[in-house]
Amino acid sequence: IADAMIERAREHPIEDFCPTELRKAGRKLVGCCPLHNERTPSFYVHEDNRWSCFGACSAHGDAIDLYQRLNDCSFKDAVSKLQ
């Protein structure tokens, strides 16, 4: 996979494929984490298109990582889908 393809995939807006409703909170987007059940929003999408969960899973990463977790797919598949 070419580095340029990986960079384009990392820059793919998380809000475009995240199944959770996200709302603007300052310069971040906030919502319930799509990786576990919760009632109080703990999922943040930061300005640099990285995400963090401050809830039960405490996971974080970039667009590729989140796509892989949501769709249970390989790195290569995630990069090709996010092009």
Side-chain angles (χ1 to χ4, degrees):
I1 301 174
D3 288 343
M5 289 176 67
I6 294 170
E7 274 310 305
R8 277 195 306 274
R10 281 197 175 118
E11 293 170 0
H12 190 98
I14 290 172
E15 61 269 21
D16 285 357
F17 65 87
C18 184
T20 301
E21 183 179 327
L22 300 171
R23 63 177 171 76
K24 195 91 164 129
R27 296 190 296 179
K28 300 176 185 169
L29 296 173
V30 180
C32 292
C33 183
L35 303 176
H36 60 91
N37 260 347
E38 66 180 3
R39 294 182 188 165
T40 305
S42 66
F43 182 79
Y44 292 81
V45 178
H46 308 282
E47 283 184 290
D48 61 357
N49 205 45
R50 296 190 61 81
W51 61 275
S52 302
C53 174
F54 296 100
C57 68
S58 299
H60 59 275
D62 60 17
I64 298 169
D65 181 62
L66 183 60
Y67 191 90
Q68 282 182 268
R69 290 172 187 250
L70 292 173
N71 297 287
D72 193 29
C73 66
S74 69
F75 180 82
K76 185 178 177 179
D77 289 342
V79 169
S80 67
K81 295 289 184 186
L82 291 174
Q83 289 299 299

mmCIF file of all heavy atoms in Angstrom, residues 44-74:
data_model
loop_
_atom_site.group_PDB
_atom_site.id
_atom_site.type_symbol
_atom_site.label_atom_id
_atom_site.label_comp_id
_atom_site.label_asym_id
_atom_site.label_seq_id
_atom_site.Cartn_x
_atom_site.Cartn_y
_atom_site.Cartn_z
ATOM 1 N N TYR A 44 -14.650 11.112 21.645
ATOM 2 C CA TYR A 44 -14.262 12.417 21.117
ATOM 3 C C TYR A 44 -13.515 12.248 19.806
ATOM 4 O O TYR A 44 -12.636 11.408 19.704
ATOM 5 C CB TYR A 44 -13.343 13.153 22.093
ATOM 6 C CG TYR A 44 -14.030 13.564 23.363
ATOM 7 C CD1 TYR A 44 -14.210 12.657 24.402
ATOM 8 C CD2 TYR A 44 -14.516 14.856 23.522
ATOM 9 C CE1 TYR A 44 -14.856 13.032 25.567
ATOM 10 C CE2 TYR A 44 -15.160 15.241 24.692
ATOM 11 C CZ TYR A 44 -15.322 14.320 25.704
ATOM 12 O OH TYR A 44 -15.959 14.687 26.854
ATOM 13 N N VAL A 45 -13.874 13.074 18.822
ATOM 14 C CA VAL A 45 -13.113 13.168 17.577
ATOM 15 C C VAL A 45 -12.427 14.527 17.622
ATOM 16 O O VAL A 45 -13.079 15.564 17.709
ATOM 17 C CB VAL A 45 -14.020 13.055 16.332
ATOM 18 C CG1 VAL A 45 -13.187 13.209 15.062
ATOM 19 C CG2 VAL A 45 -14.772 11.732 16.330
ATOM 20 N N HIS A 46 -11.107 14.503 17.608
ATOM 21 C CA HIS A 46 -10.305 15.708 17.744
ATOM 22 C C HIS A 46 -10.083 16.388 16.394
ATOM 23 O O HIS A 46 -10.329 15.799 15.341
ATOM 24 C CB HIS A 46 -8.961 15.357 18.390
ATOM 25 C CG HIS A 46 -9.118 14.580 19.659
ATOM 26 N ND1 HIS A 46 -9.464 15.170 20.849
ATOM 27 C CD2 HIS A 46 -9.027 13.251 19.913
ATOM 28 C CE1 HIS A 46 -9.550 14.239 21.798
ATOM 29 N NE2 HIS A 46 -9.295 13.065 21.247
ATOM 30 N N GLU A 47 -9.597 17.606 16.438
ATOM 31 C CA GLU A 47 -9.354 18.388 15.219
ATOM 32 C C GLU A 47 -8.430 17.703 14.228
ATOM 33 O O GLU A 47 -8.563 17.890 13.025
ATOM 34 C CB GLU A 47 -8.721 19.734 15.576
ATOM 35 C CG GLU A 47 -9.669 20.746 16.129
ATOM 36 C CD GLU A 47 -8.951 22.054 16.354
ATOM 37 O OE1 GLU A 47 -8.118 22.107 17.272
ATOM 38 O OE2 GLU A 47 -9.218 22.993 15.583
ATOM 39 N N ASP A 48 -7.499 16.914 14.715
ATOM 40 C CA ASP A 48 -6.540 16.246 13.832
ATOM 41 C C ASP A 48 -7.072 14.918 13.285
ATOM 42 O O ASP A 48 -6.323 14.109 12.760
ATOM 43 C CB ASP A 48 -5.201 16.034 14.539
ATOM 44 C CG ASP A 48 -5.308 15.149 15.773
ATOM 45 O OD1 ASP A 48 -6.430 14.725 16.136
ATOM 46 O OD2 ASP A 48 -4.264 14.887 16.397
ATOM 47 N N ASN A 49 -8.391 14.700 13.421
ATOM 48 C CA ASN A 49 -9.087 13.510 12.935
ATOM 49 C C ASN A 49 -8.624 12.240 13.651
ATOM 50 O O ASN A 49 -8.642 11.153 13.096
ATOM 51 C CB ASN A 49 -8.942 13.352 11.418
ATOM 52 C CG ASN A 49 -10.097 12.552 10.838
ATOM 53 O OD1 ASN A 49 -11.252 12.780 11.180
ATOM 54 N ND2 ASN A 49 -9.801 11.602 9.974
ATOM 55 N N ARG A 50 -8.215 12.384 14.891
ATOM 56 C CA ARG A 50 -7.933 11.235 15.754
ATOM 57 C C ARG A 50 -9.086 11.157 16.743
ATOM 58 O O ARG A 50 -9.776 12.135 16.977
ATOM 59 C CB ARG A 50 -6.590 11.398 16.462
ATOM 60 C CG ARG A 50 -5.430 11.416 15.445
ATOM 61 C CD ARG A 50 -4.085 11.335 16.078
ATOM 62 N NE ARG A 50 -3.855 10.127 16.847
ATOM 63 C CZ ARG A 50 -3.510 8.935 16.366
ATOM 64 N NH1 ARG A 50 -3.403 8.768 15.061
ATOM 65 N NH2 ARG A 50 -3.285 7.908 17.156
ATOM 66 N N TRP A 51 -9.301 9.999 17.315
ATOM 67 C CA TRP A 51 -10.418 9.819 18.240
ATOM 68 C C TRP A 51 -9.917 9.207 19.539
ATOM 69 O O TRP A 51 -8.863 8.571 19.581
ATOM 70 C CB TRP A 51 -11.497 8.931 17.605
ATOM 71 C CG TRP A 51 -10.993 7.555 17.277
ATOM 72 C CD1 TRP A 51 -10.333 7.176 16.138
ATOM 73 C CD2 TRP A 51 -11.058 6.400 18.092
ATOM 74 N NE1 TRP A 51 -9.990 5.857 16.200
ATOM 75 C CE2 TRP A 51 -10.429 5.337 17.401
ATOM 76 C CE3 TRP A 51 -11.580 6.129 19.349
ATOM 77 C CZ2 TRP A 51 -10.314 4.056 17.914
ATOM 78 C CZ3 TRP A 51 -11.471 4.844 19.862
ATOM 79 C CH2 TRP A 51 -10.849 3.826 19.147
ATOM 80 N N SER A 52 -10.710 9.416 20.589
ATOM 81 C CA SER A 52 -10.412 8.874 21.914
ATOM 82 C C SER A 52 -11.715 8.524 22.606
ATOM 83 O O SER A 52 -12.701 9.239 22.465
ATOM 84 C CB SER A 52 -9.694 9.903 22.790
ATOM 85 O OG SER A 52 -8.519 10.345 22.203
ATOM 86 N N CYS A 53 -11.700 7.451 23.359
ATOM 87 C CA CYS A 53 -12.825 7.105 24.221
ATOM 88 C C CYS A 53 -12.331 7.201 25.656
ATOM 89 O O CYS A 53 -11.340 6.578 26.025
ATOM 90 C CB CYS A 53 -13.338 5.693 23.942
ATOM 91 S SG CYS A 53 -14.630 5.211 25.125
ATOM 92 N N PHE A 54 -13.030 7.977 26.447
ATOM 93 C CA PHE A 54 -12.685 8.118 27.857
ATOM 94 C C PHE A 54 -13.647 7.315 28.715
ATOM 95 O O PHE A 54 -13.776 7.545 29.903
ATOM 96 C CB PHE A 54 -12.685 9.601 28.246
ATOM 97 C CG PHE A 54 -11.629 10.376 27.514
ATOM 98 C CD1 PHE A 54 -11.953 11.134 26.409
ATOM 99 C CD2 PHE A 54 -10.305 10.314 27.901
ATOM 100 C CE1 PHE A 54 -10.979 11.840 25.717
ATOM 101 C CE2 PHE A 54 -9.318 11.000 27.215
ATOM 102 C CZ PHE A 54 -9.661 11.773 26.123
ATOM 103 N N GLY A 55 -14.309 6.342 28.097
ATOM 104 C CA GLY A 55 -15.252 5.469 28.792
ATOM 105 C C GLY A 55 -14.663 4.094 29.028
ATOM 106 O O GLY A 55 -13.453 3.932 29.221
ATOM 107 N N ALA A 56 -15.517 3.087 28.969
ATOM 108 C CA ALA A 56 -15.164 1.711 29.332
ATOM 109 C C ALA A 56 -14.019 1.119 28.509
ATOM 110 O O ALA A 56 -13.189 0.393 29.041
ATOM 111 C CB ALA A 56 -16.388 0.815 29.221
ATOM 112 N N CYS A 57 -13.951 1.417 27.224
ATOM 113 C CA CYS A 57 -12.924 0.767 26.404
ATOM 114 C C CYS A 57 -11.587 1.508 26.419
ATOM 115 O O CYS A 57 -10.558 0.920 26.104
ATOM 116 C CB CYS A 57 -13.404 0.550 24.976
ATOM 117 S SG CYS A 57 -13.639 2.040 23.994
ATOM 118 N N SER A 58 -11.589 2.785 26.733
ATOM 119 C CA SER A 58 -10.366 3.608 26.780
ATOM 120 C C SER A 58 -9.522 3.499 25.518
ATOM 121 O O SER A 58 -8.300 3.630 25.558
ATOM 122 C CB SER A 58 -9.509 3.238 27.994
ATOM 123 O OG SER A 58 -10.215 3.475 29.172
ATOM 124 N N ALA A 59 -10.155 3.246 24.390
ATOM 125 C CA ALA A 59 -9.444 3.085 23.125
ATOM 126 C C ALA A 59 -9.206 4.446 22.466
ATOM 127 O O ALA A 59 -9.852 5.438 22.814
ATOM 128 C CB ALA A 59 -10.246 2.190 22.195
ATOM 129 N N HIS A 60 -8.282 4.487 21.522
ATOM 130 C CA HIS A 60 -7.999 5.699 20.767
ATOM 131 C C HIS A 60 -7.275 5.312 19.474
ATOM 132 O O HIS A 60 -6.782 4.200 19.353
ATOM 133 C CB HIS A 60 -7.147 6.663 21.593
ATOM 134 C CG HIS A 60 -5.846 6.073 22.011
ATOM 135 N ND1 HIS A 60 -5.719 5.295 23.132
ATOM 136 C CD2 HIS A 60 -4.621 6.117 21.450
ATOM 137 C CE1 HIS A 60 -4.465 4.890 23.252
ATOM 138 N NE2 HIS A 60 -3.772 5.374 22.229
ATOM 139 N N GLY A 61 -7.265 6.231 18.530
ATOM 140 C CA GLY A 61 -6.567 5.947 17.285
ATOM 141 C C GLY A 61 -6.915 6.927 16.192
ATOM 142 O O GLY A 61 -7.402 8.024 16.445
ATOM 143 N N ASP A 62 -6.692 6.494 14.955
ATOM 144 C CA ASP A 62 -6.993 7.329 13.798
ATOM 145 C C ASP A 62 -8.181 6.736 13.036
ATOM 146 O O ASP A 62 -8.792 5.763 13.485
ATOM 147 C CB ASP A 62 -5.765 7.481 12.900
ATOM 148 C CG ASP A 62 -5.241 6.162 12.351
ATOM 149 O OD1 ASP A 62 -5.962 5.154 12.384
ATOM 150 O OD2 ASP A 62 -4.086 6.151 11.871
ATOM 151 N N ALA A 63 -8.501 7.326 11.896
ATOM 152 C CA ALA A 63 -9.658 6.878 11.115
ATOM 153 C C ALA A 63 -9.517 5.421 10.682
ATOM 154 O O ALA A 63 -10.485 4.654 10.717
ATOM 155 C CB ALA A 63 -9.848 7.780 9.892
ATOM 156 N N ILE A 64 -8.328 5.016 10.301
ATOM 157 C CA ILE A 64 -8.106 3.641 9.856
ATOM 158 C C ILE A 64 -8.382 2.663 10.995
ATOM 159 O O ILE A 64 -9.090 1.671 10.828
ATOM 160 C CB ILE A 64 -6.674 3.451 9.314
ATOM 161 C CG1 ILE A 64 -6.440 4.344 8.092
ATOM 162 C CG2 ILE A 64 -6.411 1.989 8.975
ATOM 163 C CD1 ILE A 64 -4.991 4.419 7.643
ATOM 164 N N ASP A 65 -7.844 2.962 12.157
ATOM 165 C CA ASP A 65 -8.032 2.099 13.327
ATOM 166 C C ASP A 65 -9.512 1.961 13.690
ATOM 167 O O ASP A 65 -9.997 0.858 13.939
ATOM 168 C CB ASP A 65 -7.238 2.651 14.510
ATOM 169 C CG ASP A 65 -7.383 1.792 15.737
ATOM 170 O OD1 ASP A 65 -6.977 0.615 15.682
ATOM 171 O OD2 ASP A 65 -7.911 2.295 16.742
ATOM 172 N N LEU A 66 -10.235 3.077 13.701
ATOM 173 C CA LEU A 66 -11.658 3.017 14.047
ATOM 174 C C LEU A 66 -12.426 2.209 13.007
ATOM 175 O O LEU A 66 -13.257 1.370 13.355
ATOM 176 C CB LEU A 66 -12.253 4.416 14.173
ATOM 177 C CG LEU A 66 -13.720 4.458 14.593
ATOM 178 C CD1 LEU A 66 -13.942 3.797 15.956
ATOM 179 C CD2 LEU A 66 -14.236 5.885 14.603
ATOM 180 N N TYR A 67 -12.143 2.429 11.728
ATOM 181 C CA TYR A 67 -12.824 1.672 10.679
ATOM 182 C C TYR A 67 -12.576 0.177 10.842
ATOM 183 O O TYR A 67 -13.493 -0.627 10.722
ATOM 184 C CB TYR A 67 -12.366 2.148 9.291
ATOM 185 C CG TYR A 67 -13.224 1.601 8.191
ATOM 186 C CD1 TYR A 67 -14.350 2.294 7.756
ATOM 187 C CD2 TYR A 67 -12.940 0.372 7.600
ATOM 188 C CE1 TYR A 67 -15.164 1.779 6.760
ATOM 189 C CE2 TYR A 67 -13.746 -0.152 6.606
ATOM 190 C CZ TYR A 67 -14.851 0.557 6.186
ATOM 191 O OH TYR A 67 -15.665 0.036 5.213
ATOM 192 N N GLN A 68 -11.334 -0.195 11.151
ATOM 193 C CA GLN A 68 -11.005 -1.610 11.370
ATOM 194 C C GLN A 68 -11.820 -2.186 12.529
ATOM 195 O O GLN A 68 -12.361 -3.283 12.428
ATOM 196 C CB GLN A 68 -9.525 -1.771 11.698
ATOM 197 C CG GLN A 68 -8.604 -1.687 10.527
ATOM 198 C CD GLN A 68 -7.171 -1.908 10.957
ATOM 199 O OE1 GLN A 68 -6.468 -0.952 11.255
ATOM 200 N NE2 GLN A 68 -6.764 -3.153 11.013
ATOM 201 N N ARG A 69 -11.900 -1.454 13.630
ATOM 202 C CA ARG A 69 -12.626 -1.937 14.807
ATOM 203 C C ARG A 69 -14.128 -2.066 14.537
ATOM 204 O O ARG A 69 -14.756 -3.024 14.962
ATOM 205 C CB ARG A 69 -12.405 -1.002 15.994
ATOM 206 C CG ARG A 69 -11.005 -1.056 16.554
ATOM 207 C CD ARG A 69 -10.837 0.045 17.593
ATOM 208 N NE ARG A 69 -9.480 0.161 18.054
ATOM 209 C CZ ARG A 69 -9.072 -0.177 19.272
ATOM 210 N NH1 ARG A 69 -9.932 -0.649 20.151
ATOM 211 N NH2 ARG A 69 -7.819 -0.025 19.614
ATOM 212 N N LEU A 70 -14.687 -1.089 13.832
ATOM 213 C CA LEU A 70 -16.126 -1.099 13.561
ATOM 214 C C LEU A 70 -16.529 -2.185 12.570
ATOM 215 O O LEU A 70 -17.633 -2.716 12.632
ATOM 216 C CB LEU A 70 -16.583 0.264 13.027
ATOM 217 C CG LEU A 70 -16.540 1.432 14.000
ATOM 218 C CD1 LEU A 70 -16.865 2.726 13.267
ATOM 219 C CD2 LEU A 70 -17.503 1.201 15.154
ATOM 220 N N ASN A 71 -15.639 -2.492 11.638
ATOM 221 C CA ASN A 71 -15.971 -3.419 10.555
ATOM 222 C C ASN A 71 -15.215 -4.738 10.625
ATOM 223 O O ASN A 71 -15.343 -5.560 9.720
ATOM 224 C CB ASN A 71 -15.727 -2.736 9.206
ATOM 225 C CG ASN A 71 -16.630 -1.551 9.029
ATOM 226 O OD1 ASN A 71 -17.813 -1.703 8.816
ATOM 227 N ND2 ASN A 71 -16.084 -0.352 9.166
ATOM 228 N N ASP A 72 -14.437 -4.921 11.670
ATOM 229 C CA ASP A 72 -13.665 -6.148 11.868
ATOM 230 C C ASP A 72 -12.939 -6.549 10.579
ATOM 231 O O ASP A 72 -13.154 -7.636 10.031
ATOM 232 C CB ASP A 72 -14.580 -7.276 12.365
ATOM 233 C CG ASP A 72 -13.785 -8.461 12.885
ATOM 234 O OD1 ASP A 72 -12.656 -8.250 13.368
ATOM 235 O OD2 ASP A 72 -14.287 -9.596 12.784
ATOM 236 N N CYS A 73 -12.108 -5.624 10.094
ATOM 237 C CA CYS A 73 -11.405 -5.880 8.841
ATOM 238 C C CYS A 73 -9.912 -5.600 9.001
ATOM 239 O O CYS A 73 -9.471 -5.043 10.003
ATOM 240 C CB CYS A 73 -11.997 -5.043 7.711
ATOM 241 S SG CYS A 73 -11.786 -3.270 7.887
ATOM 242 N N SER A 74 -9.156 -5.958 7.999
ATOM 243 C CA SER A 74 -7.702 -5.774 8.028
ATOM 244 C C SER A 74 -7.337 -4.317 7.734
ATOM 245 O O SER A 74 -8.152 -3.535 7.233
ATOM 246 C CB SER A 74 -7.052 -6.668 6.978
ATOM 247 O OG SER A 74 -7.371 -6.201 5.675
#
